[in-house]
Amino acid sequence: MSNKWEEILISSTPKAWVNKALKSLDILLIDHAHCEKKAATTAISLIHKYPHHNLADLLSPLAREELLHFEQVLDLIKKQGFKYRNLKSGKYAQTLYESASNKEPEKFQDILIICALIEARSCERFHALIPYLPSSLRNFYTKLYRAEARHCDLYLDLFTKIFKIDWTERLKELSQVESAFINMKDDLFRFHSGY
Ligand SMILES: [Fe+2]
Ligand SMILES: [Fe+2]
């Protein structure tokens, strides 16, 4: 298994975030469910926005997989005795999307890189949490971690397949934005928040 996610992130999750997560397992799981739902929505909206790139072959199965994750997290929320509800969104994804170009094809290129970065950060956060989680959650997050690592590769491979150019330089810029956000103090604890 390749580990592109480790290569594309320039910083690790601060320990303070892990401590907050362990004290707020309900918010962690509920926001994680929202992340899975949003990952499916993003994949579907890309298929819709860029029909000429035939994204459905790869992104429709990905969207189905994310919805399956969503259902699995919902189940876990119930089993832990928590209640699923809507939460105010964090600013992580918004901050990244605001850094994307607003002209094509750079916009779509940036979105593919941003999707890869979000998947990569999910992997990294699962990795950071797994040693401290109760066993019921640990097994699930280990399985999920592998799926999200595959999604990170898929978005970068899609970039290469469509544009036939190197993503490294642009990735460096966007991963700076990503890392700056993760290393900021944040009053709102979320799966992808600062600490
Ligand atoms: Fe997922
Ligand atoms: Fe994913």
PDB file of all heavy atoms in Angstrom, residues 36 39 62 65-66 69 119 122 147-149 151-152 155, ligand 2:
ATOM      1  N   GLU A  36     -18.066  12.277   6.354  1.00  0.00           N
ATOM      2  CA  GLU A  36     -18.298  11.181   5.388  1.00  0.00           C
ATOM      3  C   GLU A  36     -19.403  11.580   4.408  1.00  0.00           C
ATOM      4  O   GLU A  36     -19.298  11.348   3.206  1.00  0.00           O
ATOM      5  CB  GLU A  36     -18.684   9.892   6.123  1.00  0.00           C
ATOM      6  CG  GLU A  36     -17.619   9.351   7.066  1.00  0.00           C
ATOM      7  CD  GLU A  36     -16.380   8.800   6.346  1.00  0.00           C
ATOM      8  OE1 GLU A  36     -16.338   8.787   5.106  1.00  0.00           O
ATOM      9  OE2 GLU A  36     -15.431   8.398   7.054  1.00  0.00           O
ATOM     10  N   ALA A  39     -18.034  14.103   2.025  1.00  0.00           N
ATOM     11  CA  ALA A  39     -17.115  13.491   1.048  1.00  0.00           C
ATOM     12  C   ALA A  39     -17.922  12.880  -0.102  1.00  0.00           C
ATOM     13  O   ALA A  39     -17.538  12.995  -1.277  1.00  0.00           O
ATOM     14  CB  ALA A  39     -16.252  12.433   1.736  1.00  0.00           C
ATOM     15  N   LEU A  62     -16.610   5.773  -5.246  1.00  0.00           N
ATOM     16  CA  LEU A  62     -16.072   6.456  -4.061  1.00  0.00           C
ATOM     17  C   LEU A  62     -17.222   7.058  -3.234  1.00  0.00           C
ATOM     18  O   LEU A  62     -17.268   6.910  -2.013  1.00  0.00           O
ATOM     19  CB  LEU A  62     -15.073   7.537  -4.478  1.00  0.00           C
ATOM     20  CG  LEU A  62     -14.393   8.300  -3.332  1.00  0.00           C
ATOM     21  CD1 LEU A  62     -12.930   8.605  -3.663  1.00  0.00           C
ATOM     22  CD2 LEU A  62     -15.092   9.594  -2.984  1.00  0.00           C
ATOM     23  N   GLU A  65     -18.968   4.446  -1.321  1.00  0.00           N
ATOM     24  CA  GLU A  65     -18.159   3.998  -0.183  1.00  0.00           C
ATOM     25  C   GLU A  65     -18.246   4.999   0.970  1.00  0.00           C
ATOM     26  O   GLU A  65     -18.345   4.621   2.140  1.00  0.00           O
ATOM     27  CB  GLU A  65     -16.703   3.817  -0.644  1.00  0.00           C
ATOM     28  CG  GLU A  65     -15.910   2.938   0.278  1.00  0.00           C
ATOM     29  CD  GLU A  65     -14.467   2.711  -0.197  1.00  0.00           C
ATOM     30  OE1 GLU A  65     -14.023   3.381  -1.153  1.00  0.00           O
ATOM     31  OE2 GLU A  65     -13.798   1.870   0.415  1.00  0.00           O
ATOM     32  N   GLU A  66     -18.213   6.308   0.630  1.00  0.00           N
ATOM     33  CA  GLU A  66     -18.316   7.331   1.680  1.00  0.00           C
ATOM     34  C   GLU A  66     -19.683   7.275   2.366  1.00  0.00           C
ATOM     35  O   GLU A  66     -19.777   7.459   3.587  1.00  0.00           O
ATOM     36  CB  GLU A  66     -18.076   8.742   1.119  1.00  0.00           C
ATOM     37  CG  GLU A  66     -16.739   8.970   0.403  1.00  0.00           C
ATOM     38  CD  GLU A  66     -15.524   8.958   1.319  1.00  0.00           C
ATOM     39  OE1 GLU A  66     -15.572   8.360   2.402  1.00  0.00           O
ATOM     40  OE2 GLU A  66     -14.500   9.549   0.920  1.00  0.00           O
ATOM     41  N   HIS A  69     -19.569   4.532   4.769  1.00  0.00           N
ATOM     42  CA  HIS A  69     -18.869   4.984   5.981  1.00  0.00           C
ATOM     43  C   HIS A  69     -19.807   5.818   6.849  1.00  0.00           C
ATOM     44  O   HIS A  69     -19.814   5.685   8.067  1.00  0.00           O
ATOM     45  CB  HIS A  69     -17.634   5.839   5.626  1.00  0.00           C
ATOM     46  CG  HIS A  69     -16.551   5.095   4.917  1.00  0.00           C
ATOM     47  ND1 HIS A  69     -15.515   5.733   4.277  1.00  0.00           N
ATOM     48  CD2 HIS A  69     -16.339   3.775   4.751  1.00  0.00           C
ATOM     49  CE1 HIS A  69     -14.707   4.826   3.748  1.00  0.00           C
ATOM     50  NE2 HIS A  69     -15.193   3.641   4.010  1.00  0.00           N
ATOM     51  N   GLU A 119      -8.530  14.010   2.477  1.00  0.00           N
ATOM     52  CA  GLU A 119      -8.439  12.562   2.732  1.00  0.00           C
ATOM     53  C   GLU A 119      -7.172  12.247   3.527  1.00  0.00           C
ATOM     54  O   GLU A 119      -7.184  11.424   4.446  1.00  0.00           O
ATOM     55  CB  GLU A 119      -8.421  11.781   1.413  1.00  0.00           C
ATOM     56  CG  GLU A 119      -9.668  11.925   0.544  1.00  0.00           C
ATOM     57  CD  GLU A 119     -10.833  11.072   1.021  1.00  0.00           C
ATOM     58  OE1 GLU A 119     -10.690  10.321   2.009  1.00  0.00           O
ATOM     59  OE2 GLU A 119     -11.911  11.155   0.400  1.00  0.00           O
ATOM     60  N   SER A 122      -7.529  13.169   7.128  1.00  0.00           N
ATOM     61  CA  SER A 122      -8.368  12.180   7.824  1.00  0.00           C
ATOM     62  C   SER A 122      -7.510  10.978   8.216  1.00  0.00           C
ATOM     63  O   SER A 122      -7.570  10.513   9.357  1.00  0.00           O
ATOM     64  CB  SER A 122      -9.522  11.705   6.935  1.00  0.00           C
ATOM     65  OG  SER A 122     -10.314  12.801   6.541  1.00  0.00           O
ATOM     66  N   ALA A 147      -9.166   2.844   3.783  1.00  0.00           N
ATOM     67  CA  ALA A 147     -10.042   3.330   2.703  1.00  0.00           C
ATOM     68  C   ALA A 147      -9.701   4.778   2.364  1.00  0.00           C
ATOM     69  O   ALA A 147      -9.589   5.150   1.191  1.00  0.00           O
ATOM     70  CB  ALA A 147     -11.497   3.208   3.117  1.00  0.00           C
ATOM     71  N   GLU A 148      -9.510   5.614   3.379  1.00  0.00           N
ATOM     72  CA  GLU A 148      -9.252   7.037   3.111  1.00  0.00           C
ATOM     73  C   GLU A 148      -7.860   7.226   2.480  1.00  0.00           C
ATOM     74  O   GLU A 148      -7.673   8.128   1.651  1.00  0.00           O
ATOM     75  CB  GLU A 148      -9.407   7.903   4.367  1.00  0.00           C
ATOM     76  CG  GLU A 148     -10.701   7.703   5.174  1.00  0.00           C
ATOM     77  CD  GLU A 148     -12.017   7.809   4.416  1.00  0.00           C
ATOM     78  OE1 GLU A 148     -12.033   8.076   3.205  1.00  0.00           O
ATOM     79  OE2 GLU A 148     -13.069   7.600   5.064  1.00  0.00           O
ATOM     80  N   ALA A 149      -6.919   6.352   2.813  1.00  0.00           N
ATOM     81  CA  ALA A 149      -5.592   6.409   2.174  1.00  0.00           C
ATOM     82  C   ALA A 149      -5.744   6.118   0.675  1.00  0.00           C
ATOM     83  O   ALA A 149      -5.117   6.780  -0.166  1.00  0.00           O
ATOM     84  CB  ALA A 149      -4.647   5.402   2.821  1.00  0.00           C
ATOM     85  N   HIS A 151      -8.427   6.703  -1.082  1.00  0.00           N
ATOM     86  CA  HIS A 151      -9.104   7.857  -1.701  1.00  0.00           C
ATOM     87  C   HIS A 151      -8.110   8.981  -1.992  1.00  0.00           C
ATOM     88  O   HIS A 151      -8.212   9.664  -3.003  1.00  0.00           O
ATOM     89  CB  HIS A 151     -10.217   8.395  -0.791  1.00  0.00           C
ATOM     90  CG  HIS A 151     -11.319   7.418  -0.566  1.00  0.00           C
ATOM     91  ND1 HIS A 151     -12.253   7.567   0.421  1.00  0.00           N
ATOM     92  CD2 HIS A 151     -11.645   6.280  -1.228  1.00  0.00           C
ATOM     93  CE1 HIS A 151     -13.103   6.549   0.365  1.00  0.00           C
ATOM     94  NE2 HIS A 151     -12.749   5.758  -0.621  1.00  0.00           N
ATOM     95  N   CYS A 152      -7.176   9.185  -1.081  1.00  0.00           N
ATOM     96  CA  CYS A 152      -6.152  10.219  -1.284  1.00  0.00           C
ATOM     97  C   CYS A 152      -5.386   9.917  -2.577  1.00  0.00           C
ATOM     98  O   CYS A 152      -5.216  10.795  -3.437  1.00  0.00           O
ATOM     99  CB  CYS A 152      -5.212  10.237  -0.073  1.00  0.00           C
ATOM    100  SG  CYS A 152      -3.773  11.273  -0.306  1.00  0.00           S
ATOM    101  N   TYR A 155      -7.571  10.594  -5.826  1.00  0.00           N
ATOM    102  CA  TYR A 155      -7.702  11.987  -6.283  1.00  0.00           C
ATOM    103  C   TYR A 155      -6.420  12.468  -6.977  1.00  0.00           C
ATOM    104  O   TYR A 155      -6.484  13.162  -7.991  1.00  0.00           O
ATOM    105  CB  TYR A 155      -8.069  12.904  -5.111  1.00  0.00           C
ATOM    106  CG  TYR A 155      -9.553  12.905  -4.825  1.00  0.00           C
ATOM    107  CD1 TYR A 155     -10.070  12.400  -3.636  1.00  0.00           C
ATOM    108  CD2 TYR A 155     -10.464  13.419  -5.756  1.00  0.00           C
ATOM    109  CE1 TYR A 155     -11.445  12.394  -3.384  1.00  0.00           C
ATOM    110  CE2 TYR A 155     -11.832  13.425  -5.516  1.00  0.00           C
ATOM    111  CZ  TYR A 155     -12.311  12.910  -4.318  1.00  0.00           C
ATOM    112  OH  TYR A 155     -13.668  12.915  -4.094  1.00  0.00           O
TER     113      TYR A 155
HETATM  114 FE    FE B   2     -12.628   9.268   1.729  1.00  0.00          FE
END
